[in-house]
Amino acid sequence: MINYFIKFDDLSLSTLRLFTYDEGITNQVEKYNLLDVKESLLPGNNLYIMLPSALFGFKVTKNEIGLKNDILKANIFSESEDGLISNVSDLKFFFQPSLNLASWIDSSTYDSIASPFNDFEGDVYFYPEHFLLPEGINSIYIAEHSFICAFEDLTGFSGSNDSLEDYLRILVSGGLDFKTVQVLGESEPALLHKFKDLSFKKIKFSDIQINFINSVKFSNVNFFKRKLSFHYIKQKLKFNFFEFWALNISALIFLLAPLVISYNLNSSVNTYKQSTVKIFEQLNPNFKRLVNARAQIDDVTRNIPKQNDITKQDLSVLKYLDAFKDDSIQRIAINLKDQEINIHLEGLPLYKFNLLKQILKSGELNFTESDLVEKDEGFFGNLLVQYET
């Protein structure tokens, strides 16, 4: 696992140094700008971006009454308004409960650094750079051109060495006892003779970064808030080409299925309504609009007389007629209420007609052939059959 550290050269954030730590191998330091650094990072590793502490504002608070989100933010800013140089709406706010520390930074500055790394395939961490220094003590790391100052309450500051002496005098006037301050660096700075109470300890900057990696103090703290993107999710899940497209198709089916089901249901409902309307129009030519199908059916059928129950005699009549399947029998209309059967004939041969008459008589059925006409050795017209239950 490779651990990358980014340290910016100044508050303009225009140039930076990239430190690389690969499982104990000596670090490499290279200088980049922000646009190029991402191309040099190998995916699947850790990236620590140390932002200049001077870009942040800090306030120590235990939040004992448990304020949340915007309420906590408003409360902190109201207590710190004398030290704010930006509009509150332009600030990105953080609260770290494990550190009892609230902090904020200009949103546009934060976004300009965070955006290029939203889809980085690896773990990204943002910290104020004074978090690198030893925990629980007041300390100052002095490099060739810049310094980092950290206090035991986890607040801090950073800046150019040109302003270091003035900054130290401000700390003295603020009541800070320099006997509690540890100066760190790779070589002893010349200005220490002006501040006799300061003590110096030689340490490599790489050792400070390695100690930070091994520390558990900030393991649950991260100022980086990743904005998830489709590209990042695809990288994180490591789908191959076929899995990727299978996932896309499955997602498309999942999204379209409810629409298709809804369309089919609506289509079925509309078809049902249209069929119902046609039935109503057949029952009542004056029908205008379907409002309540059940109530309207009850209204239409309220005055229709009830039909007699089908008897065994009805069934026997149907049995007789079934025996005379012939093309000349064009239509059979059965009226169960009046106990009549109207058979329409088109050229029924004489021998079949006589046979039919014999069977109808044997079944105690009466028939009327007054509407029949004999022509070309066949019978045409309606044969009316009446029966009794």
Side-chain angles (χ1 to χ4, degrees):
M1 176 70 70
I2 300 175
N3 293 289
Y4 297 104
F5 275 84
I6 287 179
K7 184 184 185 307
F8 291 93
D9 291 330
D10 51 44
L11 298 181
S12 69
L13 306 178
S14 57
T15 60
L16 56 88
R17 284 178 289 164
L18 177 66
F19 299 79
T20 305
Y21 300 93
D22 188 1
E23 298 182 356
I25 297 176
T26 304
N27 66 298
Q28 301 173 3
V29 180
E30 300 182 41
K31 201 159 186 175
Y32 290 92
N33 60 47
L34 193 61
L35 297 177
D36 297 331
V37 67
K38 185 180 175 182
E39 302 300 324
S40 67
L41 303 178
L42 297 177
N45 295 294
N46 297 328
L47 173 62
Y48 298 90
I49 300 179
M50 313 308 293
L51 296 170
S53 298
L55 295 175
F56 287 85
F58 299 97
K59 182 175 179 58
V60 177
T61 176
K62 294 183 178 181
N63 191 26
E64 294 175 339
I65 59 177
L67 299 177
K68 302 289 185 181
N69 303 326
D70 289 341
I71 298 177
L72 174 62
K73 176 181 177 180
N75 187 66
I76 294 296
F77 284 161
S78 66
E79 295 177 359
S80 308
E81 59 183 354
D82 292 340
L84 297 177
I85 59 175
S86 301
N87 292 329
V88 171
S89 59
D90 296 333
L91 299 176
K92 189 171 185 65
F93 179 79
F94 305 91
F95 177 65
Q96 310 295 345
S98 61
L99 307 180
N100 295 325
L101 185 67
S103 56
W104 52 90
I105 186 174
D106 182 79
S107 294
S108 60
T109 300
Y110 176 90
D111 291 339
S112 68
I113 305 300
S115 295
F117 301 102
N118 275 321
D119 59 354
F120 174 68
E121 188 181 351
D123 293 327
V124 181
Y125 303 91
F126 276 22
Y127 297 106
E129 62 181 343
H130 73 271
F131 277 22
L132 286 170
L133 301 188
E135 305 161 21
I137 64 171
N138 299 321
S139 59
I140 300 175
Y141 180 84
I142 302 176
E144 182 179 0
H145 300 292
S146 62
F147 71 92
I148 305 170
C149 182
F151 301 100
E152 56 186 353
D153 62 1
L154 294 178
T155 61
F157 189 73
S158 62
S160 168
N161 283 347
D162 295 337
S163 61
L164 176 57
E165 184 173 343
D166 292 335
Y167 181 68
L168 291 175
R169 297 190 185 282
I170 292 173
L171 294 180
V172 171
S173 63
L176 180 64
D177 184 1
F178 275 0
K179 292 180 180 180
T180 66
V181 177
Q182 178 73 66
V183 177
L184 306 172
E186 297 192 5
S187 59
E188 184 173 347
L191 60 74
L192 282 188
H193 69 277
K194 296 183 180 181
F195 301 92
K196 302 298 184 181
D197 291 334
L198 292 174
S199 61
F200 175 76
K201 178 182 178 180
K202 185 175 182 179
I203 185 173
K204 293 181 179 179
F205 193 63
S206 59
D207 291 337
I208 292 177
Q209 293 176 324
I210 292 173
N211 291 338
F212 181 84
I213 295 172
N214 296 328
S215 172
V216 297
K217 177 69 173 179
F218 305 111
S219 58
N220 295 321
V221 175
N222 189 1
F223 289 72
F224 179 68
K225 308 297 181 184
R226 189 189 296 272
K227 294 181 180 178
L228 293 181
S229 64
F230 182 76
H231 178 69
Y232 172 74
I233 294 174
K234 185 184 74 170
Q235 286 183 331
K236 200 69 174 176
L237 295 176
K238 299 184 184 302
F239 287 132
N240 60 35
F241 177 82
F242 296 104
E243 291 172 334
F244 172 71
W245 282 107
L247 177 65
N248 284 344
I249 294 172
S250 300
L252 184 62
I253 293 174
F254 179 78
L255 293 174
L256 293 180
L259 300 177
V260 174
I261 293 173
S262 176
Y263 173 80
N264 288 335
L265 288 175
N266 290 334
S267 178
S268 298
V269 169
N270 292 333
T271 301
Y272 169 78
K273 288 181 178 180
Q274 292 172 1
S275 299
T276 304
V277 169
K278 288 181 179 179
I279 293 173
F280 274 102
E281 289 175 343
Q282 292 174 355
L283 294 174
N284 181 9
N286 296 322
F287 176 78
K288 300 297 183 182
R289 185 163 62 95
L290 183 65
V291 178
N292 185 326
R294 182 183 294 275
Q296 289 174 283
I297 288 173
D298 292 341
D299 184 64
V300 169
T301 60
R302 185 174 294 113
N303 298 321
I304 295 178
K306 294 184 178 180
Q307 299 288 338
N308 293 333
D309 294 336
I310 297 176
T311 65
K312 292 182 179 180
Q313 183 68 35
D314 302 333
L315 298 177
S316 65
V317 172
L318 297 177
K319 179 181 68 176
Y320 293 146
L321 295 175
D322 186 62
F324 283 89
K325 292 180 179 178
D326 192 276
D327 293 340
S328 59
I329 300 177
Q330 296 293 309
R331 184 176 68 255
I332 299 176
I334 301 174
N335 186 340
L336 297 178
K337 178 182 177 182
D338 297 330
Q339 298 176 328
E340 294 179 349
I341 301 175
N342 196 321
I343 305 172
H344 182 71
L345 305 178
E346 290 288 343
L348 181 67
L350 177 61
Y351 76 91
K352 286 190 177 183
F353 180 70
N354 291 331
L355 180 60
L356 177 60
K357 287 167 57 178
Q358 294 298 320
I359 293 176
L360 292 176
K361 289 179 179 179
S362 66
E364 297 183 354
L365 304 173
N366 298 320
F367 63 93
T368 302
E369 53 182 299
S370 58
D371 292 333
L372 290 176
V373 176
E374 185 176 2
K375 181 181 179 182
D376 298 330
E377 298 184 353
F379 288 87
F380 297 83
N382 292 321
L383 175 63
L384 181 64
V385 179
Q386 293 178 317
Y387 62 92
E388 297 181 358
T389 58

